[in-house]
Amino acid sequence: KQEVTQIPAALSVPEGENLVLNCSFTDSAIYNLQWFRQDPGKGLTSLLLIQSSQREQTSGRLNASLDKSSGRSTLYIAASQPGDSATYLCAVTSNSGYALNFGKGTSLLVTP
Amino acid sequence: DAGVIQSPRHEVTEMGQEVTLRCKPISGHDYLFWYRQTMMRGLELLIYFNNNVPIDDSGMPEDRFSAKMPNASFSTLKIQPSEPRDSAVYFCASRGDLYNEQFFGPGTRLTVL
């Protein structure tokens, strides 16, 4: 069974810092990996999707990398802002199915 | 497109009552997923459909839970009878044609007293 782990569980940084969120998964036979953002009491917003054949994806200040062989992905946020405060979730789709397996998330607080 | 639509957004009910959650996927999406989010277990898949047919219901906790998709634009998740441990946020998601990117609805927050 695919297990997805996110470290750290919580992170607090001052505004302007660059930061890295980590995601690891136990089964490298993945179809793709998706990073989401969830604001308190809200739904999930898709940030980046990386196919298994890709190494990274970028959107604005966000960059996600994927090392499938080692079972790891990172989400890099440049020049963090208070508006980036949210929970960030990593999820993988295995080759054997279409459902997403989620990590527990990293709760990010960016202080002014 | 309005995105994935879920109703109701909040539901408070008493133990033993029937609860029905509703979802309208993004038009043209052929996969629909139901997930449940709790503090203890995070986000977990309950069931998913392809072209209105249930494909994997291994995440449905027990017989009290049932899901249907009578057509491409509507799905329901029913709990009968409801129990306090069913309290959670229930999300519906649909999948586009490319790359299995899933788009989530706003969720239904269910509280069973």
Side-chain angles (χ1 to χ4, degrees), chain A residues 32-37 45-51 54 56-65 73-77 88-91 100, chain B residues 99-103:
Chain A
N32 62 29
L33 183 145
Q34 206 166 342
W35 281 93
F36 293 89
R37 169 185 173 138
T45 301
S46 180
L47 297 174
L48 290 165
L49 176 89
I50 311 177
Q51 297 301 317
Q54 297 174 320
E56 65 177 346
Q57 283 286 342
T58 297
S59 175
R61 293 182 296 107
L62 305 179
N63 175 276
S65 67
S73 175
T74 61
L75 179 66
Y76 175 83
I77 303 177
Y88 291 80
L89 294 156
C90 166
L100 289 167
Chain B
Y99 306 129
N100 195 33
E101 184 171 11
Q102 292 190 24
F103 296 90

Side-chain angles (χ1 to χ4, degrees), chain A residues 102-104, chain B residues 36-44 89:
Chain A
F102 282 87
K104 294 286 182 66
Chain B
R36 179 170 68 176
Q37 185 177 36
T38 61
M39 289 293 292
M40 287 294 294
R41 299 174 68 89
L43 268 156
E44 298 177 301
V89 181

Side-chain angles (χ1 to χ4, degrees), chain B residues 4-113:
Chain B
V4 177
I5 299 172
Q6 291 186 248
S7 65
R9 294 293 309 278
H10 301 273
E11 177 81 32
V12 180
T13 191
E14 292 189 348
M15 182 174 64
Q17 297 297 306
E18 178 179 296
V19 175
T20 300
L21 311 182
R22 297 172 176 80
C23 175
K24 176 178 169 55
I26 293 172
S27 177
H29 284 188
D30 53 0
Y31 283 85
L32 183 140
F33 303 82
W34 283 99
Y35 294 90
R36 179 170 68 176
Q37 185 177 36
T38 61
M39 289 293 292
M40 287 294 294
R41 299 174 68 89
L43 268 156
E44 298 177 301
L45 175 75
L46 296 175
I47 185 171
Y48 77 89
F49 296 83
N50 176 219
N51 291 324
N52 313 336
V53 176
I55 302 300
D56 182 356
D57 65 354
S58 59
M60 296 286 263
E62 48 200 270
D63 292 344
R64 297 185 297 105
F65 285 68
S66 63
K68 294 181 179 179
M69 192 164 185
N71 58 61
S73 59
F74 184 65
S75 177
T76 59
L77 178 67
K78 185 176 294 187
I79 308 172
Q80 166 64 17
S82 58
E83 297 182 2
R85 59 191 167 125
D86 302 330
S87 297
V89 181
Y90 292 80
F91 287 102
C92 175
S94 66
R95 192 201 92 160
D97 290 336
L98 289 176
Y99 306 129
N100 195 33
E101 184 171 11
Q102 292 190 24
F103 296 90
F104 281 70
T108 295
R109 182 172 296 276
L110 173 65
T111 302
V112 184
L113 303 174

